[in-house]
Amino acid sequence: MTKPADDQAPIMTERHYQAMSTLALSVVILIQIQQQATFLAGVALFVNVLIALVGAMAIFYRSSLSPLVVLIAIAAPQIAETFDFHNLQFRGDRRSMQLLDVGEVVWCAAVLVYFIGQYRLQTLWFGILPDDARVTTPPGEDPGPPKVRSARSLRPTELAALVFAVPAVVFFAQIAVMVLKHPWTFVDLEDARWKQLFVVAWTLLVVMFLAAHVFSHWRRLQMDRGSALLTLQDTLWDETGGEQRDINRWIVWKKLTNQQRTKP
Amino acid sequence: MPASRFSTSPKLPYNGGMLTSRGYWFFFVAAFFLALAILLGSTPLALICTTLLVWFLSQWFLFQLRLRLAAGRMTLNRVLRTAGGEATSVWSGQKVEVAVTLSSDGWLALPYVVVTDWLAPLARLRDGTTCVDGPLSSESPIEIAYTIECPGAGWLRFEGIKLQFADLQGFFTDTTFLHDLCEYRVLPPIVSKAPHVAFVKRENVLPLVGTHRHARPGGASELLDLRDYIPGDPPKMIAWKVSARRDRLITKELESEVPIRCTLFVDTSNSVRVGPVGETALCRLVDIAAGVAQANANERDLTGLCLFDESGIIDYVKPGRGAKHVLKLIGKLTDVANLIPQSPRATVFELVPVAFGLAQDVYPDWLSEDVNAFPFWLPWWAPQPSWTIPPGAPRYFWRFSPAYHREYRQRKQVSAVLSVRYGLGPGGLARLLEDDEMCVAYMQRFLAEHQVAYPFSFYDGQGNYLFRSPTKPKMLADALLKAVLHGKDNELFVLCIDALENIDHLAPLERAVCVAKARHHQVMVVCPWPVGIDPPGVKPSKNIAEMDNQLILQRLCTAQFHTAYREVRRAFRRIGVPVFCAGAGDSVSQILQRMRRLRIQERGVR
């Protein structure tokens, strides 16, 4: 039994996340309808209704639809907007980007909040940890409920933390896109889009590589004696495995031969 | 046969990876759409995808940071409570409440932790759950409370708790094990009803030494009999009034105060260790022996104990009395009650999945790729040659078989863990990888130390009993003769020995029993009975036509056991020794009742 952090704290349930996701989805749809004025009105309406349907189904009907379907639904009209139907080619976005544009900031924040809410609902409904492949259910038997996050583990602080986290993430994303739009000269590529992609890929790889190595080193510093011995043993085995293997195989062969001889 | 608590499924086992499939999909879809947005020039989409990726990376960074800051700052507190309060030892069959508290003094809270207590193999969960989830911080520790019951005597071994960390979206996860070894002694059940009936001197609060009617002349104060005077009898023993009435000298004979001695010979060999922990035939023998010791202590009789197995006498305690002595006996019985069988015929093929499953649960950090890597090409490059595999062991004939690859990987990782755990030195890993016999021996030791029972069969494919031990009766015979040599009058020897399928080798034991009886001792044999096999006399319920193959096999195995039991009984009946089955039907009190009857018969009390 988990000890409640504070008996006076309001009880947090999945309905809070449902309400949060619904609100975020509504904001997303409203802003999209507003922003897609240049796009074909009928198609825009259809796409947004589709997003609303998919999103609502995922929120209220415990559908196992991935939130990524909503991302695809959001991405599709954005990609379609860049397509020139007369010349049948992509012409790019003609809108200019402004730092901290209110509409875009709210739109990004709403999409992010929707994803956060939807993924957290999924942990309550479909499980938070991967299944253990060793646990097998005999055929014909009920596999039992999935190992989901228990309702009593929900805390109001989870929602409160989003008040600071979401604006910070959106702000950093705006900065990142502004930096990306900067005409970089250190990459010698003709097409500016490929140049941007190159910068993004390298930034992601370098950041993740460095962070992973810092954490890996930190982990090694915290190793217990057994793990440290295992590391040393593994290094030795890696370097001299062939020789050790040959020697031990001959030893075992001799032992088995002697056993065969002494057997009555 | 009893199943292990670890699955031996051919599926790839769960390994606590950092990124879950949900996280992979999210990252790759978001990155894909970002790339698409950049290439197609869609700024709003790029903004959305960048927002999602920044959030994803920040979650990963925070998750890692929290893990590293929390490592080494968690403490575990375990308390066992019974009706009498906090306990350091418990009785078998007693309900015990286990309370585990996990606290952390880290300054950054962990948002979601699944805490699973490693249930001691001897314990059976009766109420509550061993798995609890929630956030963990310095202000809010996680508490687990559940109730257990132990079916038999032994040691409750709590290894620690398994910790699974995750972020709130389920993108990242990590598994570790917090070791906190706690062991509690589980004592055999108390014999509530005293099977011995004290039929003299009821008014005494503390029974006198040797309160049984003892049909032997001795130096006690109770009159046993009157007989004619024999020249040489002390004059003070002449019953003058009776002599005057009968007109001849009559001598008084008084009862003897020599106490009854009982020596228990308990078989702890591999054959009686087979079965689920706490429900083996050995546990039953321990219960019986402890019951007899307690009942004898109530009567202030002397009880001795001899523990033996295939290799020889493990321990011998000469007959004694008193609470301290009984506690000593119970302590020795408790120590052997949870022994795990070890078979020289076990193979790497059978043991590796079980040992690997145990290592995954208890030593997940020692199986991670950082410290215990496995080159995937190794089974293809350097497979184990057939000339280093012991004859009769199963082998793979195709080095590219996925099953062989899996076994090789598991064996390498388990060998590395064993080499470090048992301090085998720098070459230990390579030696365990190549030497099947050594690897089997260490894996059995590893499983036995963690009280993990794994499936065993009693008979091989040709119907041979795998636990036949020709030397065991000889060793018991030597121990019995030694006890007879040092024994006093009126001693009772209880031989708890698995003599099934050993009929051809019982001759030395029969001779030793004859010697004991010739010295006026009494001997009885208690035959341990495996769990899951119907005891003799129980009629099978189902018609053989209605049974599936497994049930038919079990029926055949039961029939084989019954035949072996009949042969043992016949062999001992020839020399006048009763044989009892320690199956479910014979409780401790029943066996003690038979012992009492034996004693009465011996003393000629009518």
Side-chain angles (χ1 to χ4, degrees), chain B residues 170-189:
Chain B
F171 288 158
F172 313 103
T173 176
D174 195 28
T175 305
T176 188
F177 194 89
L178 188 58
H179 290 269
D180 181 47
L181 183 63
C182 295
E183 287 185 307
Y184 299 88
R185 192 186 285 276
V186 182
L187 302 165

PDB file of all heavy atoms in Angstrom, chain B residues 170-189:
ATOM      1  N   GLY B 170       5.675   6.351 -19.720  1.00  0.00           N
ATOM      2  CA  GLY B 170       6.040   4.980 -20.085  1.00  0.00           C
ATOM      3  C   GLY B 170       7.010   4.921 -21.245  1.00  0.00           C
ATOM      4  O   GLY B 170       7.050   3.938 -21.983  1.00  0.00           O
ATOM      5  N   PHE B 171       7.831   5.965 -21.445  1.00  0.00           N
ATOM      6  CA  PHE B 171       8.824   5.964 -22.533  1.00  0.00           C
ATOM      7  C   PHE B 171      10.124   5.278 -22.105  1.00  0.00           C
ATOM      8  O   PHE B 171      10.787   4.657 -22.922  1.00  0.00           O
ATOM      9  CB  PHE B 171       9.167   7.402 -22.950  1.00  0.00           C
ATOM     10  CG  PHE B 171       8.071   8.100 -23.706  1.00  0.00           C
ATOM     11  CD1 PHE B 171       8.022   9.482 -23.747  1.00  0.00           C
ATOM     12  CD2 PHE B 171       7.102   7.391 -24.385  1.00  0.00           C
ATOM     13  CE1 PHE B 171       7.028  10.139 -24.450  1.00  0.00           C
ATOM     14  CE2 PHE B 171       6.101   8.039 -25.083  1.00  0.00           C
ATOM     15  CZ  PHE B 171       6.057   9.411 -25.104  1.00  0.00           C
ATOM     16  N   PHE B 172      10.478   5.451 -20.854  1.00  0.00           N
ATOM     17  CA  PHE B 172      11.766   4.939 -20.365  1.00  0.00           C
ATOM     18  C   PHE B 172      11.538   4.066 -19.140  1.00  0.00           C
ATOM     19  O   PHE B 172      10.642   4.337 -18.335  1.00  0.00           O
ATOM     20  CB  PHE B 172      12.700   6.099 -19.977  1.00  0.00           C
ATOM     21  CG  PHE B 172      12.764   7.169 -21.006  1.00  0.00           C
ATOM     22  CD1 PHE B 172      12.072   8.361 -20.837  1.00  0.00           C
ATOM     23  CD2 PHE B 172      13.469   6.981 -22.174  1.00  0.00           C
ATOM     24  CE1 PHE B 172      12.104   9.344 -21.799  1.00  0.00           C
ATOM     25  CE2 PHE B 172      13.507   7.967 -23.140  1.00  0.00           C
ATOM     26  CZ  PHE B 172      12.817   9.153 -22.947  1.00  0.00           C
ATOM     27  N   THR B 173      12.347   3.088 -19.030  1.00  0.00           N
ATOM     28  CA  THR B 173      12.219   2.197 -17.877  1.00  0.00           C
ATOM     29  C   THR B 173      13.596   1.662 -17.498  1.00  0.00           C
ATOM     30  O   THR B 173      14.499   1.597 -18.336  1.00  0.00           O
ATOM     31  CB  THR B 173      11.253   1.039 -18.189  1.00  0.00           C
ATOM     32  OG1 THR B 173      11.235   0.164 -17.086  1.00  0.00           O
ATOM     33  CG2 THR B 173      11.664   0.271 -19.405  1.00  0.00           C
ATOM     34  N   ASP B 174      13.735   1.306 -16.269  1.00  0.00           N
ATOM     35  CA  ASP B 174      14.982   0.707 -15.809  1.00  0.00           C
ATOM     36  C   ASP B 174      14.661  -0.226 -14.646  1.00  0.00           C
ATOM     37  O   ASP B 174      13.714   0.023 -13.883  1.00  0.00           O
ATOM     38  CB  ASP B 174      15.971   1.783 -15.363  1.00  0.00           C
ATOM     39  CG  ASP B 174      17.376   1.217 -15.231  1.00  0.00           C
ATOM     40  OD1 ASP B 174      17.681   0.255 -15.944  1.00  0.00           O
ATOM     41  OD2 ASP B 174      18.159   1.729 -14.413  1.00  0.00           O
ATOM     42  N   THR B 175      15.432  -1.286 -14.535  1.00  0.00           N
ATOM     43  CA  THR B 175      15.182  -2.279 -13.488  1.00  0.00           C
ATOM     44  C   THR B 175      16.443  -2.483 -12.663  1.00  0.00           C
ATOM     45  O   THR B 175      17.539  -2.558 -13.209  1.00  0.00           O
ATOM     46  CB  THR B 175      14.771  -3.623 -14.123  1.00  0.00           C
ATOM     47  OG1 THR B 175      13.660  -3.392 -14.981  1.00  0.00           O
ATOM     48  CG2 THR B 175      14.364  -4.634 -13.065  1.00  0.00           C
ATOM     49  N   THR B 176      16.268  -2.564 -11.388  1.00  0.00           N
ATOM     50  CA  THR B 176      17.399  -2.873 -10.511  1.00  0.00           C
ATOM     51  C   THR B 176      16.879  -3.679  -9.320  1.00  0.00           C
ATOM     52  O   THR B 176      15.671  -3.868  -9.170  1.00  0.00           O
ATOM     53  CB  THR B 176      18.120  -1.592 -10.056  1.00  0.00           C
ATOM     54  OG1 THR B 176      19.310  -1.958  -9.362  1.00  0.00           O
ATOM     55  CG2 THR B 176      17.255  -0.776  -9.116  1.00  0.00           C
ATOM     56  N   PHE B 177      17.800  -4.148  -8.528  1.00  0.00           N
ATOM     57  CA  PHE B 177      17.420  -4.946  -7.360  1.00  0.00           C
ATOM     58  C   PHE B 177      18.153  -4.385  -6.158  1.00  0.00           C
ATOM     59  O   PHE B 177      19.381  -4.246  -6.181  1.00  0.00           O
ATOM     60  CB  PHE B 177      17.785  -6.415  -7.591  1.00  0.00           C
ATOM     61  CG  PHE B 177      17.145  -7.351  -6.611  1.00  0.00           C
ATOM     62  CD1 PHE B 177      15.904  -7.898  -6.873  1.00  0.00           C
ATOM     63  CD2 PHE B 177      17.779  -7.684  -5.426  1.00  0.00           C
ATOM     64  CE1 PHE B 177      15.302  -8.745  -5.968  1.00  0.00           C
ATOM     65  CE2 PHE B 177      17.185  -8.527  -4.524  1.00  0.00           C
ATOM     66  CZ  PHE B 177      15.936  -9.067  -4.802  1.00  0.00           C
ATOM     67  N   LEU B 178      17.397  -4.063  -5.151  1.00  0.00           N
ATOM     68  CA  LEU B 178      17.998  -3.535  -3.923  1.00  0.00           C
ATOM     69  C   LEU B 178      18.207  -4.708  -2.966  1.00  0.00           C
ATOM     70  O   LEU B 178      17.246  -5.263  -2.428  1.00  0.00           O
ATOM     71  CB  LEU B 178      17.066  -2.487  -3.312  1.00  0.00           C
ATOM     72  CG  LEU B 178      17.618  -1.702  -2.133  1.00  0.00           C
ATOM     73  CD1 LEU B 178      18.888  -0.971  -2.511  1.00  0.00           C
ATOM     74  CD2 LEU B 178      16.578  -0.699  -1.637  1.00  0.00           C
ATOM     75  N   HIS B 179      19.483  -5.084  -2.791  1.00  0.00           N
ATOM     76  CA  HIS B 179      19.784  -6.258  -1.960  1.00  0.00           C
ATOM     77  C   HIS B 179      19.730  -5.892  -0.484  1.00  0.00           C
ATOM     78  O   HIS B 179      20.342  -4.918  -0.056  1.00  0.00           O
ATOM     79  CB  HIS B 179      21.170  -6.803  -2.305  1.00  0.00           C
ATOM     80  CG  HIS B 179      21.210  -7.448  -3.651  1.00  0.00           C
ATOM     81  ND1 HIS B 179      20.974  -8.783  -3.841  1.00  0.00           N
ATOM     82  CD2 HIS B 179      21.428  -6.936  -4.878  1.00  0.00           C
ATOM     83  CE1 HIS B 179      21.055  -9.060  -5.135  1.00  0.00           C
ATOM     84  NE2 HIS B 179      21.328  -7.962  -5.777  1.00  0.00           N
ATOM     85  N   ASP B 180      18.994  -6.677   0.235  1.00  0.00           N
ATOM     86  CA  ASP B 180      18.926  -6.500   1.686  1.00  0.00           C
ATOM     87  C   ASP B 180      18.574  -7.866   2.270  1.00  0.00           C
ATOM     88  O   ASP B 180      17.406  -8.162   2.541  1.00  0.00           O
ATOM     89  CB  ASP B 180      17.861  -5.449   2.036  1.00  0.00           C
ATOM     90  CG  ASP B 180      17.782  -5.227   3.528  1.00  0.00           C
ATOM     91  OD1 ASP B 180      18.831  -5.061   4.152  1.00  0.00           O
ATOM     92  OD2 ASP B 180      16.663  -5.249   4.070  1.00  0.00           O
ATOM     93  N   LEU B 181      19.591  -8.689   2.396  1.00  0.00           N
ATOM     94  CA  LEU B 181      19.346 -10.079   2.800  1.00  0.00           C
ATOM     95  C   LEU B 181      18.914 -10.154   4.269  1.00  0.00           C
ATOM     96  O   LEU B 181      19.610  -9.667   5.155  1.00  0.00           O
ATOM     97  CB  LEU B 181      20.623 -10.902   2.588  1.00  0.00           C
ATOM     98  CG  LEU B 181      20.501 -12.391   2.895  1.00  0.00           C
ATOM     99  CD1 LEU B 181      19.505 -13.048   1.954  1.00  0.00           C
ATOM    100  CD2 LEU B 181      21.851 -13.073   2.772  1.00  0.00           C
ATOM    101  N   CYS B 182      17.737 -10.732   4.472  1.00  0.00           N
ATOM    102  CA  CYS B 182      17.222 -10.945   5.839  1.00  0.00           C
ATOM    103  C   CYS B 182      16.805 -12.404   5.950  1.00  0.00           C
ATOM    104  O   CYS B 182      16.073 -12.903   5.088  1.00  0.00           O
ATOM    105  CB  CYS B 182      16.006 -10.070   6.108  1.00  0.00           C
ATOM    106  SG  CYS B 182      16.339  -8.338   6.100  1.00  0.00           S
ATOM    107  N   GLU B 183      17.267 -13.057   6.975  1.00  0.00           N
ATOM    108  CA  GLU B 183      16.897 -14.459   7.168  1.00  0.00           C
ATOM    109  C   GLU B 183      16.238 -14.634   8.531  1.00  0.00           C
ATOM    110  O   GLU B 183      16.725 -14.094   9.528  1.00  0.00           O
ATOM    111  CB  GLU B 183      18.130 -15.350   7.064  1.00  0.00           C
ATOM    112  CG  GLU B 183      18.625 -15.472   5.639  1.00  0.00           C
ATOM    113  CD  GLU B 183      19.779 -16.436   5.489  1.00  0.00           C
ATOM    114  OE1 GLU B 183      20.772 -16.280   6.211  1.00  0.00           O
ATOM    115  OE2 GLU B 183      19.683 -17.343   4.662  1.00  0.00           O
ATOM    116  N   TYR B 184      15.156 -15.371   8.536  1.00  0.00           N
ATOM    117  CA  TYR B 184      14.425 -15.638   9.772  1.00  0.00           C
ATOM    118  C   TYR B 184      14.243 -17.150   9.899  1.00  0.00           C
ATOM    119  O   TYR B 184      13.891 -17.820   8.923  1.00  0.00           O
ATOM    120  CB  TYR B 184      13.044 -14.969   9.751  1.00  0.00           C
ATOM    121  CG  TYR B 184      13.110 -13.469   9.623  1.00  0.00           C
ATOM    122  CD1 TYR B 184      13.150 -12.859   8.373  1.00  0.00           C
ATOM    123  CD2 TYR B 184      13.148 -12.651  10.739  1.00  0.00           C
ATOM    124  CE1 TYR B 184      13.210 -11.487   8.243  1.00  0.00           C
ATOM    125  CE2 TYR B 184      13.216 -11.274  10.621  1.00  0.00           C
ATOM    126  CZ  TYR B 184      13.235 -10.696   9.360  1.00  0.00           C
ATOM    127  OH  TYR B 184      13.302  -9.335   9.236  1.00  0.00           O
ATOM    128  N   ARG B 185      14.439 -17.623  11.098  1.00  0.00           N
ATOM    129  CA  ARG B 185      14.287 -19.056  11.315  1.00  0.00           C
ATOM    130  C   ARG B 185      12.807 -19.401  11.433  1.00  0.00           C
ATOM    131  O   ARG B 185      12.057 -18.712  12.136  1.00  0.00           O
ATOM    132  CB  ARG B 185      15.002 -19.468  12.586  1.00  0.00           C
ATOM    133  CG  ARG B 185      15.145 -20.953  12.765  1.00  0.00           C
ATOM    134  CD  ARG B 185      15.728 -21.261  14.119  1.00  0.00           C
ATOM    135  NE  ARG B 185      17.148 -20.997  14.215  1.00  0.00           N
ATOM    136  CZ  ARG B 185      18.097 -21.844  13.843  1.00  0.00           C
ATOM    137  NH1 ARG B 185      17.767 -23.004  13.343  1.00  0.00           N
ATOM    138  NH2 ARG B 185      19.364 -21.549  13.967  1.00  0.00           N
ATOM    139  N   VAL B 186      12.392 -20.446  10.719  1.00  0.00           N
ATOM    140  CA  VAL B 186      11.019 -20.941  10.841  1.00  0.00           C
ATOM    141  C   VAL B 186      11.081 -22.256  11.604  1.00  0.00           C
ATOM    142  O   VAL B 186      11.656 -23.236  11.127  1.00  0.00           O
ATOM    143  CB  VAL B 186      10.364 -21.147   9.456  1.00  0.00           C
ATOM    144  CG1 VAL B 186       8.930 -21.622   9.614  1.00  0.00           C
ATOM    145  CG2 VAL B 186      10.403 -19.876   8.649  1.00  0.00           C
ATOM    146  N   LEU B 187      10.505 -22.251  12.776  1.00  0.00           N
ATOM    147  CA  LEU B 187      10.579 -23.430  13.629  1.00  0.00           C
ATOM    148  C   LEU B 187       9.466 -24.411  13.287  1.00  0.00           C
ATOM    149  O   LEU B 187       8.402 -24.002  12.808  1.00  0.00           O
ATOM    150  CB  LEU B 187      10.468 -22.999  15.095  1.00  0.00           C
ATOM    151  CG  LEU B 187      11.543 -22.011  15.547  1.00  0.00           C
ATOM    152  CD1 LEU B 187      11.170 -21.371  16.861  1.00  0.00           C
ATOM    153  CD2 LEU B 187      12.881 -22.717  15.668  1.00  0.00           C
ATOM    154  N   PRO B 188       9.698 -25.679  13.521  1.00  0.00           N
ATOM    155  CA  PRO B 188       8.637 -26.660  13.257  1.00  0.00           C
ATOM    156  C   PRO B 188       7.445 -26.396  14.163  1.00  0.00           C
ATOM    157  O   PRO B 188       7.584 -25.764  15.213  1.00  0.00           O
ATOM    158  CB  PRO B 188       9.286 -28.014  13.604  1.00  0.00           C
ATOM    159  CG  PRO B 188      10.722 -27.747  13.730  1.00  0.00           C
ATOM    160  CD  PRO B 188      10.910 -26.312  14.047  1.00  0.00           C
ATOM    161  N   PRO B 189       6.266 -26.880  13.768  1.00  0.00           N
ATOM    162  CA  PRO B 189       5.068 -26.582  14.566  1.00  0.00           C
ATOM    163  C   PRO B 189       5.155 -27.198  15.966  1.00  0.00           C
ATOM    164  O   PRO B 189       5.775 -28.245  16.173  1.00  0.00           O
ATOM    165  CB  PRO B 189       3.941 -27.202  13.758  1.00  0.00           C
ATOM    166  CG  PRO B 189       4.587 -28.197  12.893  1.00  0.00           C
ATOM    167  CD  PRO B 189       5.959 -27.711  12.616  1.00  0.00           C
TER     168      PRO B 189
END
